[in-house]
Amino acid sequence: MSAKRYVLHHFDDFFVVLFEKDNKANKLVILKDKFTVNAKEGDLLEVEVNQDKSGYNFKMLEEEADNTKQRLLDLIENMKKGND
């Protein structure tokens, strides 16, 4: 499986929730103990399924993070407005 770009949406008690950068309908939910990178909400990551370790490989993508983070924050704000 090839790597895909995801934006870290949020953490909850046991999981990390990410949305695919170019397709917000694709959501990836990962157990916190499998999330092996020091990232925060809004960060852009490259995620690849690691078949050997039955886990994931993560790579921080700093160069696009600021622009993507602002778009994600706007998306979250719009989603909150829709739930009011």
Side-chain angles (χ1 to χ4, degrees):
M1 181 177 188
S2 64
K4 292 186 179 180
R5 292 176 176 206
Y6 289 88
V7 178
L8 198 160
H9 186 265
H10 71 275
F11 296 92
D12 69 16
D13 293 338
F14 302 102
F15 300 100
V16 179
V17 179
L18 303 108
F19 285 99
E20 191 173 342
K21 179 181 181 285
D22 296 321
N23 183 0
K24 302 296 186 250
N26 271 355
K27 180 166 77 169
L28 181 63
V29 179
I30 299 173
L31 283 169
K32 277 187 178 177
D33 65 347
K34 299 279 187 188
F35 192 68
T36 57
V37 66
N38 186 17
K40 58 191 179 305
E41 292 178 5
D43 283 350
L44 180 64
L45 305 168
E46 190 173 84
V47 181
E48 183 177 24
V49 175
N50 184 332
Q51 302 292 353
D52 297 334
K53 297 180 184 176
S54 59
Y56 301 89
N57 294 330
F58 301 98
K59 179 181 173 188
M60 294 287 292
L61 299 174
E62 304 273 338
E63 69 276 1
E64 295 182 41
D66 289 338
N67 189 13
T68 301
K69 189 179 297 185
Q70 187 56 53
R71 287 199 315 261
L72 177 65
L73 292 172
D74 292 344
L75 176 66
I76 292 169
E77 196 58 39
N78 288 337
M79 290 169 70
K80 286 180 183 176
K81 288 177 185 175
N83 290 334
D84 288 342

